[in-house]
Amino acid sequence: MHIVIAIVTAIGVIAAWYYRLKMIGGAARDVARVADRVVNMPRKFSFMRRAAHTGLKAVDDPREAAAILMVLVAGGEGGNELTDHQRAVIMEETAEQFDLDEEEAEALLVHAQWMVRDVQVPAGVGERMARIVITTPGIGPKELVDLDAMLVAVSEADGTAGSEGLKMLQVFRDQAGLRA
C-alpha cells in the first residue's frame, strides 16, 4: 500500500510542477508580446503623430505617394485590411524599387495604411498622389513605367485584379499619360 501512495504522490508532484512550468511559459509568452509592442511603440506613435498633424495634403515624398497608391490599388483605404499576400507584394516591390531594407519597407507600408485609414473617395487621393510622383524632379518615363508595373503587381497579388484596383490603376495611368 505504501508503494501505491508513493506513486500517487510522485504523480501529484509531477503534475503540480508541470502546471507551474506551463503557467511560467504562458507568462513568458505574454511578456514577449508586451515587449514587441513596446519596441514598436515609438514608430507607431511617430506615424500617428505625423498623420494626425499633417494628413494626406502634406505628402511630398514620391516614395510615400507611391506606397499610398499601392495601398489604394490593393483596396486598403477606409480601414480595410490588406491580405498577407498583398502586404508581402507591396513590401517586396517597395524594398526592391526604392532600395529599402525589410524594416523600412514595412514602416513605409504601415505609414501608407495609416494615411489612408479614413479615405472614403480613393480616386481623388489617387490623383493627388499620382501628381506628386509625376511632378517630382528626376522622375521620368522609366520610373513611371516601373511604378505602373508595381501597381499592376499589387493589383494582381491575390490572383486577378478587382474592379476598384483597376480603377485606381487607371487613375494613375491617366495622370501619368500611360496607355495599357
Side-chain angles (χ1 to χ4, degrees):
M1 188 68 174
H2 66 285
I3 295 175
V4 173
I5 292 174
I7 291 173
V8 169
T9 303
I11 291 173
V13 168
I14 290 171
W17 277 104
Y18 174 75
Y19 177 74
R20 287 182 180 180
L21 289 175
K22 192 173 177 183
M23 294 303 292
I24 290 171
R29 280 189 295 278
D30 291 342
V31 167
R33 272 190 236 117
V34 169
D36 284 342
R37 284 184 186 163
V38 169
V39 166
N40 290 326
M41 275 185 166
R43 184 173 58 176
K44 178 181 176 183
F45 288 137
S46 170
F47 288 148
M48 288 170 50
R49 186 185 71 250
R50 208 171 11 172
H53 292 303
T54 57
L56 286 166
K57 293 184 179 174
V59 173
D60 58 357
D61 181 8
R63 295 183 304 174
E64 184 179 4
I68 290 171
L69 277 169
M70 285 186 267
V71 170
L72 291 174
V73 166
E77 74 281 345
N80 297 333
E81 291 292 322
L82 299 178
T83 66
D84 290 337
H85 197 63
Q86 288 172 325
R87 291 178 59 81
V89 169
I90 292 173
M91 287 176 50
E92 179 183 320
E93 292 290 332
T94 55
E96 182 181 322
Q97 294 294 327
F98 303 153
D99 195 30
L100 303 174
D101 63 26
E102 185 177 335
E103 186 176 308
E104 292 170 328
E106 182 179 2
L108 184 61
L109 172 60
V110 170
H111 180 66
Q113 286 181 290
W114 182 259
M115 294 295 280
V116 298
R117 71 192 182 284
D118 295 327
V119 170
Q120 299 301 320
V121 183
V125 174
E127 287 177 9
R128 185 175 186 306
M129 296 302 125
R131 276 195 306 272
I132 290 169
V133 172
I134 294 163
T135 60
T136 300
I139 303 281
K142 180 195 178 308
E143 288 80 12
L144 295 177
V145 170
D146 288 345
L147 179 55
D148 183 62
M150 293 168 69
L151 294 173
V152 168
V154 170
S155 71
E156 296 174 347
D158 286 334
T160 60
S163 63
E164 292 300 317
L166 291 175
K167 286 179 188 175
M168 287 306 306
L169 189 57
Q170 193 59 48
V171 165
F172 171 74
R173 287 176 174 166
D174 290 345
Q175 290 288 318
L178 299 175
R179 295 186 190 251

